[in-house]
């Protein structure tokens, strides 16, 4: 279910999706990281390359008949898939993109070519965005020039009135805010060691690095065999996820934060919301986002709704 209220018509929204004072950025040098793919279990490699302003973030993967396919990291290419965010185009797909895209969005890597080899997934690494952020910090950023050699402004989306989506008892609200704020709640009442958790914070690169990026993905031990039987998490292990039992609590402590599962949901949300970006603009809304029991599917639904509004304004 989708609800919106945008006073003043399209012109009002247009004034909140405008040029801001910084330039689009890209990596100063390439990054190459390899590791296991969470769902297929294959060893995969991701090579991140600098890209010109206006190109945005996109994946280059093997497609039908071995043909190389480019897939933009955009909501129009997102497809529903269990336990991860998947992008697809022209018969090619790339899975588990959310942690990498989360790091790129939070660190301000607006334009980036991402080449995936060895499979159709991004390596899960330690189950968080920590290694991606550290690699980005190591190579640094630079202002991205347009292909013609000139510079262009970076745009950012601002909400001017509340908007929300809901599904049963899950919801995502967006409220106007001059800064990016995220409040997230989860409820695992049948898993006492997780239980109900809330996390709320201003989101910027510094906060993300310290409070969000190291939060690892998590799973419930009693659900592992069911997921593996469904062909999922073939590469999952205690090295790339924190595992909690309904009766025995955390099986591979220590946690990095007492509310690490909830913080990881914020990490996922940043990655999924990055799919609003196009042409090297900012994806994450300047808004106060409040989400409860949301997950990848509802994240995508919210961004599809925002994208439709913005597309109608630009026409």
């Amino acid at each position: 279910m989708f609800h919106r209220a945008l006073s003043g018509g399209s012109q009002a929204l247009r004034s909140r999706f405008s040029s801001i004072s910084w330039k689009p950025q890209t990596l100063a040098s390439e990054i190459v990281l390899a590791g296991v793919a969470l769902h297929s279990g294959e060893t995969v490699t991701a090579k991140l390359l600098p890209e010109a302003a206006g190109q945005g973030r996109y994946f280059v993967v093997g497609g039908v008949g071995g043909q190389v396919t480019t897939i933009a990291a955009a909501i129009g290419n997102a497809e529903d898939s269990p336990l991860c965010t998947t992008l697809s185009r022209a018969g090619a797909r790339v899975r588990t993109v959310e942690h990498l895209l989360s790091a790129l969005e939070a660190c301000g890597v607006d334009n980036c070519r991402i080449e995936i080899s060895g499979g159709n997934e991004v390596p899960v690494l330690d189950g968080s965005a920590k290694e991606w952020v550290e690699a980005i910090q190591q190579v640094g950023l630079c202002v991205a020039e347009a292909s013609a050699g000139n510079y262009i402004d970076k745009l950012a989306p601002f909400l001017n009135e509340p908007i929300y989506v809901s599904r049963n008892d899950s919801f995502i609200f967006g409220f106007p805010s001059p800064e990016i704020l995220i409040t997230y709640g989860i409820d695992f009442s049948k898993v006492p060691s997780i239980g109900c958790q809330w996390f709320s914070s201003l989101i910027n690169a510094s906060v993300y690095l310290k409070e969000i990026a190291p939060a690892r993905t998590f799973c419930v031990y009693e659900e592992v065999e069911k997921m593996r039987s469904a062909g999922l998490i073939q590469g999952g292990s205690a090295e790339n996820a924190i595992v909690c039992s309904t009766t025995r609590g955390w099986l591979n402590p220590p946690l990095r934060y007492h509310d690490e599962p909830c913080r990881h949901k914020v990490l996922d949300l940043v990655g999924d919301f990055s799919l609003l970006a196009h042409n090297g603009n900012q994806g994450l809304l300047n808004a106060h986002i409040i989400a409860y029991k949301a997950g990848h599917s509802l994240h995508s639904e919210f961004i599809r709704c925002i994208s439709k509004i913005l597309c109608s304004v630009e026409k």
Side-chain angles (χ1 to χ4, degrees):
M1 188 179 207
F2 168 54
H3 304 262
R4 65 186 176 95
L6 298 167
S7 64
S10 4
Q11 185 60 42
L13 184 59
R14 183 180 284 110
S15 69
R16 304 303 280 165
F17 190 67
S18 56
S19 176
I20 53 179
S21 60
W22 65 90
K23 301 294 183 181
Q25 299 182 115
T26 189
L27 298 170
S29 183
E30 72 174 40
I31 292 171
V32 180
L33 288 179
V36 68
L38 177 61
H39 293 299
S40 70
E42 298 172 314
T43 298
V44 290
T45 300
K47 178 187 287 188
L48 283 56
L49 299 160
E51 186 52 279
Q55 297 302 306
R57 296 180 286 254
Y58 62 92
F59 291 86
V60 179
V61 298
V64 178
Q67 196 171 22
V68 174
T69 303
T70 297
I71 308 175
I75 190 61
N77 291 327
E79 64 176 44
D80 286 336
S81 59
L83 303 180
C84 70
T85 298
T86 298
L87 302 174
S88 64
R89 177 180 169 270
R93 63 205 300 257
V94 57
R95 296 193 291 175
T96 326
V97 300
E98 59 271 19
H99 300 170
L100 170 55
L101 291 179
S102 183
L104 294 173
E105 177 72 21
C107 293
V109 184
D110 310 304
N111 303 275
C112 184
R113 175 185 174 99
I114 307 160
E115 299 177 354
I116 303 297
S117 58
N120 68 350
E121 285 188 64
V122 175
V124 69
L125 304 179
D126 74 344
S128 75
K130 182 173 179 287
E131 292 180 60
W132 293 118
V133 170
E134 290 173 346
I136 293 167
Q137 288 185 316
Q138 184 174 357
V139 302
L141 303 179
C142 62
V143 174
E145 293 185 20
S147 55
N150 58 324
Y151 294 98
I152 59 177
D153 284 325
K154 173 180 173 178
L155 304 178
F158 283 75
L159 285 184
N160 84 335
E161 293 221 1
I163 183 171
Y164 74 92
V165 296
S166 62
R167 186 184 302 159
N168 299 321
D169 62 343
S170 304
F171 61 78
I172 302 175
F173 276 85
F175 294 98
S177 171
E179 300 176 303
I180 300 172
L181 301 166
I182 297 177
T183 298
Y184 210 115
I186 62 174
D187 186 5
F188 286 76
S189 56
K190 295 181 180 180
V191 190
S193 292
I194 300 177
C196 183
Q197 299 180 3
W198 283 92
F199 177 84
S200 186
S201 178
L202 168 73
I203 301 296
N204 56 37
S206 177
V207 171
Y208 183 89
L209 172 63
K210 296 176 182 176
E211 307 294 339
I212 304 299
R216 295 161 292 176
T217 192
F218 64 99
C219 68
V220 178
Y221 175 75
E222 286 76 9
E223 298 176 357
V224 167
E225 286 309 313
K226 179 181 178 181
M227 289 188 286
R228 284 187 169 155
S229 296
L232 301 170
I233 64 168
Q234 303 301 308
S237 72
E239 302 301 315
N240 54 39
I242 46 176
V243 185
C244 193
S245 168
T246 57
T247 57
R248 292 179 285 161
W250 291 105
L251 302 182
N252 56 335
L255 300 186
R256 293 174 178 173
Y257 311 96
H258 74 279
D259 53 359
E260 189 169 355
C262 195
R263 292 179 190 234
H264 185 79
K265 290 291 188 178
V266 174
L267 186 159
D268 282 345
L269 182 144
V270 173
D272 292 340
F273 275 35
S274 77
L275 297 177
L276 183 62
H278 66 288
N279 299 330
N281 293 316
Q282 180 175 305
L284 192 56
L285 287 164
N286 279 67
H288 184 182
I289 303 299
I290 302 176
Y292 177 65
K293 295 174 64 174
H296 295 300
S297 179
L298 203 59
H299 295 169
S300 294
E301 184 178 338
F302 185 87
I303 293 305
R304 283 191 183 96
C305 294
I306 296 289
S307 180
K308 288 177 183 177
I309 297 171
L310 292 176
C311 286
S312 67
V313 167
E314 292 169 351
K315 288 180 179 178

